């Protein structure tokens, strides 16, 4: 056994125009990280949305603290999840309820 076996080498930090810092880079990493199903962040978004909230602002605070996302980005991700069959398979009752709410709001416009 060599000295390097069993130890992980840190990957070099990549910077430059091909990998911008910010949510776009995180989105790309999340899509590449796992299999075709939902990644951990997608499951966390659905789990947070499934909770009930006692006070106004509690949900937005949880979004910032637990997911590290702005409310706007959270709702963008959630809206995108509602159109994915993987999300429907993961939480069918929640996704169908949210789709109905979304469709009712669209029809009211």
């Amino acid at each position: 056994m060599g000295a390097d076996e069993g130890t992980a080498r840190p990957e070099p930090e990549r910077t430059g125009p091909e990998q911008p810092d910010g949510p776009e880079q995180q989105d790309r990493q999340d899509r590449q990280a796992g299999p075709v199903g939902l990644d951990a962040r997608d499951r966390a978004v659905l789990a947070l949305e499934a909770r009930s909230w006692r006070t106004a602002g509690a949900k937005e605070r949880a979004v910032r603290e637990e997911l590290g996302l702005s409310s706007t980005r959270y709702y963008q991700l959630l809206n995108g999840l509602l159109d994915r069959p993987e999300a429907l398979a993961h939480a069918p009752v929640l996704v169908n309820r949210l789709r109905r709410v979304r469709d009712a709001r669209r029809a009211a416009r």
Side-chain angles (χ1 to χ4, degrees):
M1 292 181 95
D4 291 343
E5 289 183 33
T7 59
R9 293 182 186 168
E11 290 196 24
E13 185 175 324
R14 296 180 185 131
T15 59
E18 67 277 0
Q19 290 192 351
D21 291 330
E24 294 83 14
Q25 181 181 9
Q26 183 64 40
D27 288 348
R28 185 171 49 251
Q29 288 173 348
D30 288 341
R31 283 192 301 270
Q32 293 172 350
V36 178
L38 297 177
D39 60 22
R41 183 183 64 181
D42 293 339
R43 289 189 304 272
V45 166
L46 290 172
L48 193 131
E49 188 62 28
R51 288 196 232 161
S52 59
W53 304 97
R54 290 181 179 218
T55 62
K59 181 177 181 180
E60 286 74 18
R61 188 171 29 259
V63 166
R64 281 191 312 273
E65 292 173 0
E66 295 176 25
L67 301 177
L69 299 171
S70 69
S71 293
T72 302
R73 184 66 182 138
Y74 169 79
Y75 286 109
Q76 288 172 341
L77 291 171
L78 179 61
N79 192 44
L81 279 171
L82 296 183
D83 296 324
R84 293 182 52 194
E86 299 94 344
L88 182 61
H90 179 74
V93 174
L94 174 66
V95 170
N96 282 324
R97 179 177 59 83
L98 294 173
R99 284 179 177 178
R100 283 192 304 273
V101 169
R102 180 179 67 177
D103 292 343
R105 287 183 180 156
R106 284 182 180 169
R109 288 186 211 166

